[in-house]
Amino acid sequence: MGFKCGIVGLPNVGKSTLFNALTKTAAAQAANYPFCTIEPNTGDVAVPDPRLAKLAAAGKSANIIATRLTFVDIAGLVRGASKGEGLGNQFLANIREVDAIAHVVRCFEDEDITHVDGRIDPVADAETVETELMLADLESLEKRVVNLRKRATGNDKEAKQLLPLVDATIALLTDGKPARILDVDHEDEKAFKGLQLLTSKPVLYVCNVMEDDADKGNAYSDSVAEMAQREGAQSVVISANIEAEIAQLDAEEAAEYLESMGLEEPGLDRLIRAGYQLLDLITFFTVGPKETRAWTITRGTKAPQAAGVIHTDFERGFIRAQTIAYDDYVGLGGENPAKEAGKARDEGKEYVAHDGDVMLFKFNT
């Protein structure tokens, strides 16, 4: 599973440069003018996880298969997008299809790269995009609420559940606050998600800085981090230029380049970790002679549903899951030594999978 992350932002903030670097493709044209990205470009990348190699060595696997993450590069938004300005309609339609938003903000000064508003203010840029998304959500809900009230008066069960959610969200949006901060009861989560609100999606702010600021950021990225903290969002500092350089190098050259820049890892790794934390995702593994493979699930997923990520038949016929913690599997040298040490557990349908679990599912066909 992994997740689908839409890369958004104002024109000329480095959005497409970052996309190209992350996916190691040139599918998105990076140019110094608005709307150079007209159709959303999609790229899959492997999620880096150093545990995979260690598990494969312990399990003597022939191949390693990482889980994958999908990035979608979405056309740059401008003020008035909620009313269809620029490529607003395409922007809003494309963003509804992603699980999370990676909001790239410009945290660098460069006279050669114009800013659509003629100034460098990443917090104001973020507020411009957020305002357009809130206005689009407000318009969407106000169109629906009249019909919902009529249906609720007629005792329509679905309408009676949705109406309080819609009313509460309209109140939030009118007050200039995004839908994602609404406190939704567990039994209403599915209905709320069905509203497909743009501002209900979790946000990760990606602070694009110049190369010299890639290790610690700067005053601009600090202001974004403070904003993210206030919103309960995440932020990460990345130099799109550095990522573009790394994308052209082999592993050894990339490591040397990163060291010369005072960085311990590529920005992609930090971005994925922040994204995982944002969406509350974890990884479990399957290990065998043919392959060691990573699988992504939401934290709190029970064993049968984890099995279902591999194949629906596994969930349908689930019997039990042999489970070994990552540290035990690697530390003891594989499945058989872990079994001999009493570290392999048979877990049933109520077992909640943990990050790093090595799982072998037993099921009826």
Side-chain angles (χ1 to χ4, degrees):
M1 180 179 110
F3 64 94
K4 194 173 186 180
C5 193
I7 302 179
V8 307
L10 295 179
N12 296 344
V13 296
K15 184 169 55 68
S16 293
T17 301
L18 179 64
F19 173 83
N20 290 342
L22 292 176
T23 59
K24 297 188 179 181
T25 72
Q29 177 191 11
N32 184 27
Y33 56 92
F35 313 130
C36 60
T37 309
I38 297 175
E39 295 295 333
N41 293 278
T42 301
D44 280 355
V45 295
V47 176
D49 193 328
R51 296 176 295 184
L52 277 165
K54 294 178 180 179
L55 286 168
K60 297 179 174 59
S61 302
N63 297 297
I64 292 176
I65 301 178
T67 189
R68 302 193 71 79
L69 166 66
T70 300
F71 283 107
V72 182
D73 182 25
I74 298 173
L77 176 144
V78 294
R79 190 174 284 105
S82 60
K83 302 298 182 185
E85 294 294 327
L87 297 174
N89 291 332
Q90 286 177 253
F91 177 96
L92 298 174
N94 294 329
I95 205 172
R96 290 189 196 281
E97 300 174 3
V98 301
D99 300 308
I101 297 170
H103 186 162
V104 182
V105 287
R106 178 172 172 171
C107 294
F108 65 88
E109 296 182 12
D110 188 334
E111 293 180 358
D112 295 330
I113 302 178
T114 59
H115 188 287
V116 69
D117 288 332
R119 50 95 180 105
I120 308 301
D121 187 341
V123 171
D125 289 353
E127 289 171 349
T128 294
V129 173
E130 185 86 308
T131 296
E132 294 302 326
L133 299 185
M134 287 192 288
L135 288 171
D137 280 346
L138 190 58
E139 182 180 3
S140 170
L141 292 180
E142 286 177 339
K143 286 179 179 178
R144 300 177 64 171
V145 73
V146 174
N147 180 257
L148 276 175
R149 291 194 198 287
K150 289 180 181 177
R151 288 168 52 200
T153 303
N155 268 337
D156 182 284
K157 186 177 179 181
E158 180 189 36
K160 289 178 75 173
Q161 181 185 25
L162 278 176
L163 186 58
L165 293 173
V166 170
D167 282 339
T169 305
I170 288 176
L172 265 180
L173 294 168
T174 303
D175 196 31
K177 297 174 183 175
R180 60 180 165 273
I181 70 171
L182 185 67
D183 187 13
V184 179
D185 292 337
H186 179 69
E187 58 268 23
D188 292 330
E189 287 177 356
K190 186 176 181 181
F192 182 69
K193 190 174 183 179
L195 293 173
Q196 289 190 301
L197 299 174
L198 301 169
T199 62
S200 68
K201 299 179 185 297
V203 172
L204 169 64
Y205 292 105
V206 182
C207 302
N208 186 19
V209 301
M210 298 299 278
E211 291 92 326
D212 291 345
D213 295 324
D215 57 342
K216 296 179 181 177
N218 54 31
Y220 291 130
S221 62
D222 289 345
S223 67
V224 174
E226 291 172 7
M227 174 184 64
Q229 188 173 23
R230 288 195 302 270
E231 295 179 359
Q234 301 281 335
S235 69
V236 62
V237 175
I238 286 181
S239 169
N241 289 340
I242 288 179
E243 298 305 311
E245 288 287 338
I246 293 172
Q248 308 304 317
L249 305 175
D250 62 31
E252 185 176 341
E253 291 171 333
E256 291 176 0
Y257 180 74
L258 285 168
E259 185 178 358
S260 72
M261 299 300 296
L263 301 172
E264 294 181 359
E265 60 183 354
L268 173 60
D269 294 20
R270 298 195 302 277
L271 180 56
I272 289 174
R273 274 203 307 276
Y276 263 49
Q277 185 177 354
L278 189 70
L279 287 173
D280 210 16
L281 300 174
I282 63 172
T283 303
F284 76 90
F285 303 97
T286 53
V287 182
K290 290 184 178 179
E291 66 183 34
T292 289
R293 185 161 184 166
W295 305 88
T296 302
I297 55 175
T298 304
R299 190 180 304 277
T301 298
K302 292 184 178 180
Q305 286 69 52
V309 172
I310 300 174
H311 198 289
T312 53
D313 287 348
F314 286 19
E315 180 178 358
R316 192 179 302 115
F318 179 88
I319 300 173
R320 65 182 182 276
Q322 176 188 283
T323 305
I324 304 171
Y326 167 79
D327 287 341
D328 292 331
Y329 194 99
V330 171
L332 293 168
E335 180 180 352
N336 289 332
K339 283 181 177 179
E340 291 168 4
K343 296 298 184 180
R345 314 180 310 272
D346 279 342
E347 302 288 0
K349 293 182 178 181
E350 294 304 309
Y351 176 71
V352 176
H354 291 76
D355 185 58
D357 277 351
V358 179
M359 306 183 83
L360 176 64
F361 297 104
K362 309 290 185 181
F363 63 100
N364 287 319
T365 54

